[in-house]
Every structure is written in structure tokens, then in C-alpha cells.
Amino acid sequence: MDEKFLLIIKEKLNLSTSSPVVIGFSGGVDSVCLASLFLNTSIAIIIAHFNHCLRETANRDEEFSREFAKKRNLPFYSEKGNVEQYAADHHLSIEEAARKMRYEFLFRIAEMNETKKIAVAHHADDQVETILMHLFRGSGMAGLIGMKSETFIPEFHETISVIRPLLTFWRSEIEIYCHDRGLDFVQDETNFSIAYERNHIRNKILPYLNSHYPGLSSRVLKLSAILEDEDEFIQQLMTKDWEEICLENHPDFIRLSREKFNSLKIAIQRRIIRKAVFSLKPMLRNLSFENVERLIQFSVSKRPGEIDIQGNIIAILTDQEIIFGGKSKDWLEFVYPQVDREIEIISLRDQILKISQHWQLEIKIMQSSSDLDIQTRNEFEIFLDLDQIGKENLLLRQKRDGDRFQPLGMTNGTIKMSDFFINEKLMKDARKKWPLLTNSAGEIIWIPGFRPGHNARVTTSSQNIVSFSITRINERNY
């Protein structure tokens, strides 16, 4: 067992002697075995015990853990937590509350000791139980893989990983190892209770299945290994597609190309959605299959709209994009140009004006249209006829009641601004502060992102040109 363990920590987990490993230590046979195996290597370890205060023997376990570390001259940390109170305060199950408090403690100890690895004693039997739990709950491939030998949990820390060196060892091997070496350990009597889901699977369901299908647990473990390899391959495909369809990956929102998303295979679409949601909400444990499917179906329908996904995350679908963000939509003013006040342009000249916290308007005067390349870089840049719009008293403002607009191509008449925005399918939440550029007569001469006014357009007879462009502050090439 020692040789296999050494191979795992060196070849698979790439552990080195330069940094210690925090051991999540309960005092049970599994964690005693894990710590003892590490003690036979040259890697330093730190014993960390969290007392959940859920059992009468909880203090006994803490004292055993302290003595285990003391006898071996190992650094020791412990902490008590009121799991029942935490569960009630945060509306969690006892199991989930215990997990959160325990991991918060372990990651805090790792940070204090400037180490990047936390080792926990999950073994092969735990893996089989986890896979069956996920199967019974209706999990996809990720759940049927079970636990990985190394994983990052962004909910707790971005760069400190949790490692599971015992994941390929069976409980029987661990018990024999400790027995042969005379290693003491404590027994958690709740392991035999079927009040918890995992214990019910461990003590009732798995013994029944293995008695009727001998070797089932081993086959489940092999299935996990096969699925992990295949998942890695599919994940590589998804990453490549993500790079193609992701227009912007911001901490507060994610913008995807709707057309490219709709062209992907549904297996990749599901993973793309999961990646987007978990990137914005790392603390979200599970994502409903039904919510994922609903978003895919809505996207394929090509209708604009808004989908409530989960965990305070929404998806807004426009003609061209799928935008993931929080329900508050605080991020909206960063995604779309918005004007938070009236901006008076007394006299046209080369200048840059800040129009909101995240956006700016740049003005450039061109003296003549001859030999001038007036190709716009994007829909937020426009060239207008300077002589037609006038050089003074322009205004950049929000929409007003009764606003009308004569867009490029409409030779006669005007259209209500509200109707224009509806026709252009601009998201309703972005309309109120959408910037409109008007001339001294109050006529709208440009709607950034859409069209110029018909009379303000550049023609072959235009002599003087002015360019307007709206860009994100410090992102001039947006």
C-alpha cells in the first residue's frame, strides 16, 4: 500500500517536499491511514480537525486527533462549530452545513500555512457511494464520474486544491493497513445509522446490490475511470467551442453568440451553459437539468426574452446574444452604452466626453470628404454630414416621451422611438438610458448601435464630415 500511495502522490498528484499538506483529520480509520501513509514519505503534513459538535463523542474525537498529532510532533489545528445553528441560519441540511463549515476551516488553515494542498481521506467505497447518490438524483456525466483525485472548489478558494490520495483504495485495504500496524483510531457511531442518505446507501443498498451482482462496486469504479477520460475529451471540445462563441467573459456577466451557440451539439450546449453559470456563481452546487434544457429550447426558438436560470442568475436573449448575469442587472450599464445625464456639446471639436461610469463619446472633425475612408469599425461609430447637423448645441441624452426619429432609409415621415426600439428588439431594460444624439433643433441624428438620422447621413455631395464613436472607457477597440 505504501508503494502504491507513493506512486499516486508523485506521479498523479505531483506533490513535492517544498510545501506541506493539510490533512483533513477526523480521527477515523481513513484519516489515520492517510496521515500514517504521508508520514512514511518526505512530505510534511499538518493535522487539522473540525469538531462539528453533533455527537456526544465529538470532543473525544477532537482530543484523539490532538494526541495523534502531539505523539508524532505534528502541527495541529482544531475548531468547534455549531453546525445545527449554521444549518438553520443558512437553510441547509445538516450534511451540507457540516461540509461547508469543515471546508471553510480547512481552507483557512491552508492559507495560514501558505500551502496549496488539502488532503482528505475519501476512498474507493466512498466513491461508489457518491456515484450511486448522484445516479439516484438524476445526475449527468460529471456526477457519474464522482470525486476526482484532485479538484479545485472555487466556492472556497481559487488556487488551493483538495486532493484524495486514497480514492483507489478500498475500505478493507485501509482497515487491514491500520490493523497490521497497530494504529488506533476512533469510531464514528453515526456511520451505522441509516438516517443519512450516504449511510443508507452504504449499509443497505450497496450490500444488497453486491450480494446479487458480485463485483458491482469494482465495476462502478471502472465506469468512473472510463467516464473521467471521456469527460476530459468532451471538455476539450467544449473549451474550443467556448473560445469561438464567447464574446466577453466578465466577472459580472458573460456574453455568448446566440447564432453560434445554436449551431452546437446539445451535449456541448449543456456544458457551455454550466460553464457560464458556474463562472458567475462558483458557490452554486447544482444546476437544474430542466433549467438548462429550457434555456436551450428558448435559444433555438430565436425569440428575444429573459430566462430565470438558478441561484439569482438570469440569461437575457437578444437577436444576436445570450447574456448571463445577476438578476439585479447592475452589469447592464457595462454591457450596453448608457447615458446617465444630458451631455451638452456646445461646439463641435475633437474631444472625448465621459457619458457614464463606463462609457465615453469621442468626436473627430474631418475637413473634407474627399479621399476619406468612412468605413465604420462597428455599430457604435458613425460618420455624419457636419454641414447638415450643425456645429453647435448638440445634445446626447436619454429617450423622452414623444420622441420620434427618421432613420436612415426612411425618406418620408418618422417613427416613434418606442416603436423603433421594439422593431430593433433592443432589450427593454437598456432602453431608458440608451444614448440619443440630437441637433440644436432637437432632432435625433444618431442612435448609437443602430442607425443615423436620414438627413444627417453622409452623401457624395458632403464636404465636411464629423465622426462620433461610443466606446467603453479604457477599451477603445470595443
Side-chain angles (χ1 to χ4, degrees):
M1 193 168 178
D2 285 284
E3 291 182 4
K4 181 180 175 182
F5 180 81
L6 194 60
L7 189 66
I8 289 170
I9 64 173
K10 285 189 174 180
E11 300 294 328
K12 192 174 182 67
L13 298 174
N14 297 313
L15 298 189
S16 70
T17 58
S18 60
S19 177
V21 174
V22 173
I23 306 292
F25 194 87
S26 68
V29 64
D30 309 330
S31 59
V32 167
C33 178
L34 177 64
S36 300
L37 285 166
F38 265 111
L39 287 172
N40 292 332
T41 73
S42 53
I43 297 171
I45 60 173
I46 297 165
I47 302 297
H49 176 86
F50 186 78
N51 185 341
H52 302 92
C53 299
L54 290 173
R55 296 177 290 108
E56 292 182 1
T57 55
N59 291 333
R60 175 209 65 183
D61 296 352
E62 180 179 351
E63 187 57 33
F64 173 86
S65 301
R66 180 178 287 105
E67 285 300 313
F68 180 95
K70 184 178 179 181
K71 287 179 181 178
R72 293 159 179 82
N73 199 28
L74 299 172
F76 177 76
Y77 296 88
S78 67
E79 183 173 288
K80 286 183 171 70
N82 190 332
V83 173
E84 290 181 338
Q85 186 63 52
Y86 186 90
D89 291 344
H90 295 84
H91 308 289
L92 300 171
S93 68
I94 293 294
E95 291 170 287
E96 180 63 14
R99 172 190 172 274
K100 285 181 69 69
M101 294 184 76
R102 181 171 63 252
Y103 273 115
E104 285 171 357
F105 163 70
L106 292 174
F107 278 95
R108 192 163 63 250
I109 299 305
E111 276 191 313
M112 285 171 53
N113 288 275
E114 299 181 344
T115 181
K116 295 295 183 183
K117 306 289 182 184
I118 297 169
V120 292
H122 294 126
H123 48 68
D125 294 87
D126 293 324
Q127 179 76 303
V128 174
E129 294 162 8
T130 298
I131 292 169
L132 287 183
M133 284 173 61
H134 291 168
L135 175 64
F136 297 156
R137 293 173 181 175
S139 176
M141 183 182 288
L144 297 181
I145 290 170
M147 298 174 284
K148 295 187 176 181
S149 57
E150 181 171 19
T151 186
F152 290 89
I153 312 177
E155 174 185 355
F156 300 108
H157 205 283
E158 294 285 346
T159 59
I160 297 174
S161 67
V162 173
I163 59 173
R164 301 179 176 90
L166 299 183
L167 207 51
T168 57
F169 294 96
W170 296 100
R171 183 184 293 113
S172 58
E173 296 178 86
I174 291 169
E175 291 173 346
I176 290 170
Y177 180 89
C178 290
H179 178 269
D180 289 349
R181 286 158 182 77
L183 297 173
D184 292 328
F185 53 87
V186 294
Q187 187 71 257
D188 181 353
E189 58 275 11
T190 63
N191 284 339
F192 302 103
S193 167
I194 59 173
Y196 299 112
E197 180 185 14
R198 180 178 290 276
N199 288 352
H200 184 70
I201 291 173
R202 175 185 302 157
N203 298 319
K204 292 289 185 180
I205 296 176
L206 267 173
Y208 174 83
L209 290 174
N210 276 301
S211 68
H212 285 74
Y213 305 96
L216 175 71
S217 290
S218 295
R219 290 194 293 276
V220 170
L221 205 62
K222 289 176 183 177
L223 173 64
S224 170
I226 292 169
L227 291 179
E228 184 171 4
D229 292 338
E230 296 191 359
D231 180 71
E232 183 179 353
F233 174 69
I234 298 172
Q235 197 71 7
Q236 289 173 356
L237 297 179
M238 186 277 290
T239 300
K240 183 179 179 181
D241 287 328
W242 175 271
E243 292 170 355
E244 288 288 323
I245 75 168
C246 185
L247 304 175
E248 188 170 11
N249 192 347
H250 186 275
D252 296 327
F253 62 87
I254 291 172
R255 298 169 51 230
L256 306 180
S257 165
R258 186 172 181 177
E259 180 182 3
K260 290 181 178 179
F261 175 84
N262 288 346
S263 70
L264 298 174
K265 297 293 185 183
I266 192 168
I268 300 296
Q269 288 177 329
R270 289 176 181 140
R271 287 172 179 256
I272 291 284
I273 292 171
R274 294 179 66 83
K275 178 176 174 61
V277 173
F278 287 122
S279 294
L280 296 173
K281 196 82 171 180
M283 293 181 68
L284 189 65
R285 289 292 308 279
N286 299 299
L287 182 57
S288 162
F289 175 80
E290 287 75 19
N291 290 345
V292 172
E293 296 302 291
R294 189 159 53 96
L295 176 54
I296 292 172
Q297 292 168 11
F298 195 93
S299 182
V300 173
S301 75
K302 299 183 179 179
R303 292 181 289 119
E306 182 177 310
I307 297 288
D308 189 343
I309 300 179
Q310 201 170 311
N312 208 35
I313 298 293
I314 60 171
I316 294 175
L317 295 93
T318 70
D319 270 5
Q320 298 179 340
E321 298 182 9
I322 305 173
I323 308 169
F324 296 86
K327 280 186 180 179
S328 66
K329 299 179 184 174
D330 295 340
W331 44 269
L332 198 63
E333 293 190 0
F334 199 92
V335 177
Y336 292 118
Q338 303 278 275
V339 60
D340 53 21
R341 68 191 189 285
E342 291 190 349
I343 310 293
E344 294 184 67
I345 308 171
I346 304 300
S347 179
L348 280 182
R349 56 183 173 81
D350 289 0
Q351 58 185 307
I352 297 176
L353 301 170
K354 184 177 180 179
I355 66 172
S356 66
Q357 182 180 354
H358 303 296
W359 296 89
Q360 61 191 14
L361 172 69
E362 183 174 4
I363 304 171
K364 287 185 179 179
I365 306 296
M366 286 81 170
Q367 297 301 321
S368 172
S369 63
S370 60
D371 301 322
L372 181 65
D373 180 12
I374 58 171
Q375 292 295 317
T376 58
R377 292 170 295 176
N378 56 52
E379 65 270 28
F380 292 102
E381 179 181 45
I382 196 67
F383 292 89
L384 300 179
D385 188 316
L386 181 58
D387 298 315
Q388 289 292 326
I389 67 172
K391 297 181 180 179
E392 298 178 348
N393 299 322
L394 275 68
L395 189 66
L396 191 75
R397 61 170 175 81
Q398 301 173 5
K399 183 176 78 71
R400 297 173 182 168
D401 291 342
D403 271 342
R404 301 188 71 88
F405 178 50
Q406 184 181 10
L408 178 67
M410 181 179 283
T411 55
N412 294 301
T414 59
I415 184 173
K416 289 182 180 179
M417 275 307 310
S418 55
D419 291 340
F420 179 82
F421 282 147
I422 290 171
N423 293 344
E424 295 294 334
K425 298 176 180 174
L426 175 63
M427 185 195 313
K428 188 175 181 180
D429 294 285
R431 296 174 192 172
K432 182 180 178 181
K433 293 185 177 182
W434 198 270
L436 309 176
L437 183 64
T438 66
N439 60 17
S440 59
E443 297 171 337
I444 298 171
I445 58 177
W446 180 42
I447 303 179
F450 298 102
R451 281 184 270 176
H454 187 76
N455 295 327
R457 72 192 187 283
V458 172
T459 67
T460 53
S461 60
S462 298
Q463 294 299 311
N464 297 296
I465 310 294
V466 58
S467 77
F468 297 91
S469 62
I470 288 184
T471 57
R472 285 196 194 146
I473 294 172
N474 298 326
E475 296 186 37
R476 301 288 296 281
N477 295 323
Y478 170 72

